[in-house]
Amino acid sequence: MDDDVTEDRARGLDAAHRAAVDFLGTLDDRPVWPRANLDDMLDAFGGPLADEGADAEAVIEEIARLADPGLVAIPGGRFFGFVIGGTHPAALAADWLVSAWDQNSGSATLTPTTVAMERVAGRWMLDILGLPDSSSVGFVTGCQMANFTCLTTARNAVLARAGWDLSEQGIRDSPRLRFVVGAHRHGSIDRAARFLGIGRQELLIVDSDDQGRMRPDALERILADASGPLIVCLQAGEVHTGAFDDFSSLIPIAHEHGAWVHVDGAFGLWAAASESLRPLTAGMEAADSWATDAHKTLNVPYDCGMAIVRDPADSIAAFRTGGDYLLYTSLDPWDVTPELSRRARGVPAWAALRGLGRRGVSDLIDRLHENAVAMAAGLAAIDGIRVLNEVDYTQVMFRLDSDDATTALGEAVLLEGTAALTGAAWDGHAALRCSMSSWATTRDDIDRTVAAIRGLVVQASERR
């Protein structure tokens, strides 16, 4: 390779390392929410493309300088918005290697190193979560694609049981698929159903309790007259309350009616890795597929989701393509997900699991729950705040007396900058939600956040 090219690449990587270390070094003090909006960033990075290029070091230095006001302090300890993890150091460093290696990781024959690491990471995960060790694990972008992947597999499988070969006969005249979901399901389930050609009017919706858990008696009523192809979607970790469906009751009911049972566990599946929290997932292992994220609770960099299917033959039936130029082993990554070409997103998962170890994963899950309990206690001690959920896992939802005051507090928190949390709607009213997802969150982060929110509530009260 030309010496100039080698030197340019090395300078670019050195500049990226400096910029990354500088950014990570600001996390404790910088405002958590961005200080610039999309229009500001379009102005900063926009304009006509220059006629002449620039060397890698100059490009990276320009990116770092222009990007800073629009960056969110997600890797820090006080980002509680949505359900987004931080970046475990080993996983972050491994992700840099993934880009440097540039392995197209669909084929075990083409890229054996990265495929082997993904396969081992999948086995480790199945082991610590107590799921069947022969399951297929497909690494996708996130839980949206994991749900879609599992539900695509489920659709093919239940139609095949009904004597319909979807690959050969198509969907047009196939037996009608019944798709059963809980009232408090995540929106990614509806979206995955839409990708599969199932509209909202076709969903069979099962009532939930006040924490968002599907009611077994309601599922029994929905399925009482059921016949034909059937998929039932359950949930490990309701996104607002953190509540878990009662798998030990619900899965047998669904299986009695011949259903494929899928568990959406974007962040909740990981409760099974903790001895103290594992009872939340009791019975979950009896399902037919499971979806989760590594960039949430496992704290790997974006993006990394896992689509898990009990019988790999069902995955192969749904996804194997059969191109004559492709190279196949018994089970390749492209056999279990919709993608052919993709990055080795499972490598950071391997690194996070190896860096934490079994005990470290368990301790991480326990610490996230303990932080949620501490946050709920701190918020509940503030006059005017009411915590809305049972803090069984990692979610804390709260509100003030009115919707307007609750929304205004959420906006004030983001503007004040100590922490970031996001709004929600629960039982027809505005709420605010804190998600404990980051390995970096300390008790000091909880205390600083509670103090900042208390100050904002007092200020708002004094203005009234």
Side-chain angles (χ1 to χ4, degrees):
M1 185 175 292
D2 185 274
D3 288 345
D4 289 341
V5 173
T6 301
E7 186 176 347
D8 186 42
R9 184 161 60 189
R11 286 199 305 269
L13 290 170
D14 286 344
H17 177 258
R18 291 194 301 272
V21 170
D22 288 347
F23 170 70
L24 296 172
T26 70
L27 291 174
D28 196 48
D29 299 316
R30 70 185 293 130
V32 177
W33 204 244
R35 293 155 289 162
N37 59 30
L38 176 60
D39 287 339
D40 296 330
M41 290 295 94
L42 288 171
D43 289 341
F45 286 101
L49 180 63
D51 291 334
E52 301 298 329
D55 65 43
E57 182 177 22
V59 170
I60 297 303
E61 289 176 346
E62 182 180 13
I63 289 173
R65 175 174 52 82
L66 296 176
D68 193 73
L71 296 176
V72 190
I74 290 174
R78 295 186 306 282
F79 183 86
F80 306 119
F82 306 101
V83 188
I84 297 177
T87 47
H88 184 276
L92 172 60
D95 199 54
W96 289 5
L97 281 179
V98 168
S99 293
W101 289 346
D102 194 27
Q103 304 288 286
N104 184 348
S105 299
S107 165
T109 304
L110 176 63
T111 54
T113 292
T114 54
V115 172
M117 293 178 74
E118 289 191 349
R119 190 168 298 178
V120 171
R123 289 172 181 165
W124 286 347
M125 187 181 70
L126 294 172
D127 181 34
I128 64 175
L129 298 185
L131 299 179
D133 59 9
S134 59
S135 302
S136 67
V137 181
F139 286 86
V140 292
T141 55
C143 206
Q144 172 67 82
M145 284 306 297
N147 280 323
F148 171 70
T149 299
C150 291
L151 293 172
T152 299
T153 306
R155 179 186 63 177
N156 279 35
V158 297
L159 286 175
R161 293 173 191 168
W164 189 267
D165 186 339
L166 187 63
S167 298
E168 293 296 328
Q169 297 171 275
I171 195 69
R172 183 187 302 273
D173 297 315
S174 65
R176 184 176 181 183
L177 177 68
R178 286 155 313 115
F179 198 81
V180 180
V181 299
H184 281 279
R185 67 204 177 274
H186 191 272
S188 64
I189 293 295
D190 290 41
R191 196 162 180 247
R194 188 165 79 244
F195 296 165
L196 295 173
I198 301 167
R200 276 192 290 269
Q201 293 182 8
E202 297 180 276
L203 301 179
L204 299 175
I205 300 174
V206 183
D207 289 341
S208 300
D209 67 13
D210 63 352
Q211 294 295 300
R213 294 176 287 247
M214 184 184 286
R215 289 171 44 200
D217 62 322
L219 178 64
E220 189 72 76
R221 284 195 300 272
I222 285 279
L223 299 184
D225 299 319
S227 62
L230 175 65
I231 297 172
V232 174
C233 293
L234 304 180
Q235 186 166 229
E238 203 282 334
V239 75
H240 299 87
T241 67
F244 288 66
D245 282 338
D246 181 358
F247 303 115
S248 294
S249 297
L250 294 164
I251 293 177
I253 294 171
H255 279 164
E256 284 173 11
H257 292 272
W260 176 292
V261 179
H262 171 66
V263 176
D264 172 19
F267 62 100
L269 226 62
W270 297 93
S274 158
E275 184 175 351
S276 62
L277 296 172
R278 191 174 301 130
L280 294 170
T281 66
M284 178 182 71
E285 68 282 356
D288 301 288
S289 61
W290 307 262
T292 192
D293 270 327
H295 57 237
K296 288 184 170 65
T297 312
L298 189 59
N299 280 243
V300 309
Y302 272 89
D303 53 36
C304 187
M306 290 92 149
I308 308 166
V309 174
R310 173 181 292 276
D311 187 346
D314 289 326
S315 297
I316 292 171
F319 293 112
R320 177 164 284 183
T321 180
D324 60 1
Y325 67 95
L326 299 176
L327 304 172
Y328 285 96
T329 61
S330 58
L331 187 67
D332 284 286
W334 53 31
D335 286 332
V336 297
T337 75
E339 297 172 310
L340 289 178
S341 300
R342 66 168 179 83
R343 75 194 311 268
R345 59 175 62 94
V347 170
W350 186 97
L353 291 167
R354 178 66 183 88
L356 289 164
R358 180 185 295 273
R359 185 175 301 165
V361 174
S362 177
D363 290 346
L364 170 62
I365 309 307
D366 288 339
R367 191 164 67 250
L368 297 179
H369 175 237
E370 290 163 4
N371 285 339
V373 171
M375 178 71 83
L379 291 171
I382 300 173
D383 286 343
I385 284 183
R386 178 163 59 97
V387 175
L388 301 175
N389 65 307
E390 302 165 7
V391 187
D392 293 331
Y393 191 45
T394 58
Q395 305 296 94
V396 180
M397 183 170 55
F398 66 99
R399 64 176 271 114
L400 296 174
D401 291 335
S402 74
D403 287 353
D404 287 345
T406 301
T407 301
L409 176 60
E411 293 169 352
V413 169
L414 298 182
L415 185 64
E416 192 271 343
T418 295
L421 47 86
T422 45
W426 188 257
D427 198 22
H429 295 285
L432 297 171
R433 190 185 70 199
C434 296
S435 298
M436 296 298 149
S437 305
S438 178
W439 70 279
T441 300
T442 65
R443 192 55 56 90
D444 179 64
D445 289 315
I446 302 297
D447 293 343
R448 288 173 62 179
T449 300
V450 170
I453 292 174
R454 179 182 290 108
L456 293 171
V457 170
V458 169
Q459 290 174 22
S461 177
E462 290 174 346
R463 285 195 297 269
R464 290 197 297 270

